[in-house]
Amino acid sequence: MTLKSGWMGCAALCSLAMTTQAFAECEKPPFYGDFGYSVCKDWPAYPGLTITALSQFESGYSASDSGPEGKYDLDLAVVSAGVSQPLATYRKSAAFESDAIEYKDLQLDTARYKLTPELRAFGVLVTFSGSSRVNPVSEKMLSLFVKEGDKLRPVLDKLLIDEYGGEWDGSCAGELYHHTRTVDIGKTSSHGYADLIVKTVTTRDVGKGEGDACESKSTTAKPVLTTLRYDGKSYVLPQGFKGLQ
């Protein structure tokens, strides 16, 4: 479940126990500010556990229909029904910045990211997009987290899994690109963590001419496989694979 809020949440009046109970029941985590996103999802890899994510507006206000421009924090938790405190947490201030390219969505990804025989990661997906029709831009980024004791630790930071952009005249002439990436678990490992195999598919659309004379062509390149290796702290991303937000 995901919620975008443009009003003051009632959570400031709620106790920690009530908030934790809401998390455990996979209800939308409450807001303490005016704008942001909240989401929760059961973790199939660990029955009985729920992952929650809350990203709230921090600073730099600019009123608009879609929300303020500025910085957003990120709070993650793994919770269990009947337990009064989260089992593990993560917090980062100014995790994202929304400006001309706006912060549009927050999701959780519980695919089978099995990094060791005993350890599975979960994903946090964030989406940003611009409003320009002739210079479109859209980015969806994946970060992976693992549970270590009572902490959640990021091991993959903002891998671009969907990227769209380019420049055209809004009618025909110009060039647009679209990169899509999928992540699989490799059979090899680095520093004890499985390597990640990223498959990139790129589509390009090129248009020339005007009106009835418009000619457009779409081409899809052969998929490219890239191996991401863990360096002991995180997976290393090649140039162009990491989102800027």
Side-chain angles (χ1 to χ4, degrees):
M1 321 176 198
T2 305
L3 174 69
K4 186 170 185 178
S5 173
W7 41 269
M8 181 66 74
C10 67
L13 303 178
C14 300
S15 67
L16 176 61
M18 292 174 64
T19 301
T20 303
Q21 181 62 29
F23 285 170
E25 294 174 358
C26 204
E27 297 176 359
K28 295 169 182 143
F31 286 103
Y32 293 88
D34 290 338
F35 292 90
Y37 296 90
S38 65
V39 62
C40 67
K41 191 172 185 179
D42 293 333
W43 198 354
Y46 301 99
L49 297 187
T50 295
I51 306 164
T52 71
L54 178 64
S55 185
Q56 298 186 115
F57 173 69
E58 275 190 350
S59 63
Y61 183 83
S62 175
S64 70
D65 292 339
S66 58
E69 295 180 355
K71 296 180 180 179
Y72 288 74
D73 58 19
L74 178 64
D75 284 278
L76 303 175
V78 171
V79 298
S80 177
V83 177
S84 61
Q85 297 289 337
L87 302 181
T89 60
Y90 170 86
R91 174 174 175 77
K92 183 176 181 179
S93 297
F96 312 113
E97 184 168 3
S98 183
D99 45 33
I101 303 177
E102 297 176 2
Y103 185 13
K104 290 292 190 179
D105 195 26
L106 171 71
Q107 298 175 318
L108 290 169
D109 179 3
T110 55
R112 296 186 178 183
Y113 298 113
K114 191 174 184 180
L115 304 185
T116 77
E118 299 80 24
L119 183 65
R120 291 194 183 188
F122 68 86
V124 173
L125 294 163
V126 293
T127 302
F128 285 79
S129 65
S131 59
S132 173
R133 184 168 179 266
V134 295
N135 295 103
V137 59
S138 176
E139 294 185 349
K140 189 172 187 176
M141 295 167 279
L142 170 69
S143 297
L144 294 181
F145 292 80
V146 295
K147 181 179 178 297
E148 294 183 343
D150 63 354
K151 302 296 182 183
L152 298 172
R153 181 171 68 87
V155 294
L156 177 69
D157 185 34
K158 299 178 182 176
L159 168 67
L160 280 169
I161 61 168
D162 196 285
E163 182 183 11
Y164 175 74
E167 182 177 358
W168 69 316
D169 62 5
S171 176
C172 176
E175 183 172 349
L176 302 172
Y177 65 86
H178 188 193
H179 304 306
T180 59
R181 295 188 174 98
T182 55
V183 180
D184 289 319
I185 304 300
K187 295 182 179 179
T188 57
S189 63
S190 303
H191 294 274
Y193 276 32
D195 295 336
L196 302 180
I197 309 300
V198 177
K199 181 171 74 173
T200 303
V201 177
T202 298
T203 300
R204 296 190 182 277
D205 295 298
V206 178
K208 297 180 180 179
E210 296 180 358
D212 294 339
C214 176
E215 296 181 0
S216 61
K217 182 179 181 180
S218 179
T219 58
T220 300
K222 181 180 178 180
V224 176
L225 299 181
T226 304
T227 300
L228 305 183
R229 294 182 171 85
Y230 185 70
D231 66 1
K233 294 182 179 180
S234 63
Y235 285 92
V236 179
L237 295 178
Q239 185 175 0
F241 275 56
K242 185 172 182 177
L244 299 177
Q245 298 298 326

